[in-house]
Amino acid sequence: MKHDIPQPTFEFRHRVALQIRFNDIDLFGHLNNSVYVQFLDMGKLAYFKQFMGGGFEHEPTVPVVANLNVTFHAPTLIDEELSVLTGVASISTSSLILEQRIVNSKGAVKCTATTVMVNIDRRTGQSAPVSDIWRSALAEFEGREL
């Protein structure tokens, strides 16, 4: 399972420590592939909570996952300490692209992921423009133009 690991196009400014549980391990003693996606979701949730200063309960629009691509680079064993890194790579009219990676405490990249999230109007269920407030807040948090 050797893939070239893409270099990030930006510095990740958000990190969440992860805990591997006994039931996360498969028959071969590796972290099960479905658990990586759960860990990526934990990173997304923590990222948006920090960025939003809470949750989306009172927001008229919410970002939802439209596409998720995960590349696995190395197996993970139960005793490894992991973190998920999350950052916004770009924002278009009504969507944003997140880049994430799961790394161990030595910096070894276990997986990389790209997620397209579409901004949805809660009332209509249709795509909606990403607000200027979100754009500027995300750019400020990321420390770069998006």
Side-chain angles (χ1 to χ4, degrees):
M1 181 185 343
K2 183 78 171 147
H3 296 101
D4 289 334
I5 300 171
Q7 292 301 311
T9 57
F10 56 87
E11 180 183 340
F12 287 97
R13 298 170 66 112
H14 191 269
R15 174 185 294 262
V16 173
L18 303 167
Q19 181 180 355
I20 299 174
R21 301 163 303 178
F22 178 77
N23 63 325
D24 293 336
I25 302 302
D26 65 18
L27 182 63
F28 306 109
H30 301 138
L31 186 68
N32 186 281
N33 63 316
S34 65
V35 177
Y36 286 90
V37 176
Q38 293 173 29
F39 285 168
L40 294 168
D41 284 346
M42 289 171 64
K44 285 183 202 68
L45 178 62
Y47 180 92
F48 283 113
K49 277 188 166 184
Q50 180 175 342
F51 150 67
M52 296 292 296
F56 287 93
E57 300 84 27
H58 305 292
E59 294 293 319
T61 63
V62 292
V64 298
V65 174
N67 182 278
L68 171 63
N69 291 292
V70 181
T71 302
F72 300 98
H73 299 285
T76 299
L77 304 176
I78 195 165
D79 59 347
E80 291 187 76
E81 294 178 20
L82 299 178
S83 295
V84 58
L85 311 177
T86 303
V88 173
S90 63
I91 302 175
S92 65
T93 303
S94 61
S95 65
L96 51 93
I97 296 177
L98 287 180
E99 288 186 17
Q100 292 179 284
R101 51 186 58 210
I102 294 176
V103 299
N104 71 10
S105 59
K106 296 178 182 171
V109 177
K110 300 301 183 159
C111 80
T112 54
T114 302
T115 305
V116 177
M117 300 189 80
V118 175
N119 201 39
I120 299 293
D121 184 304
R122 286 178 177 271
R123 295 172 315 239
T124 67
Q126 301 298 311
S127 65
V130 176
S131 74
D132 290 338
I133 294 170
W134 281 23
R135 287 176 190 280
S136 60
L138 284 166
E140 182 178 339
F141 179 78
E142 290 291 341
R144 60 189 159 78
E145 290 292 320
L146 295 172

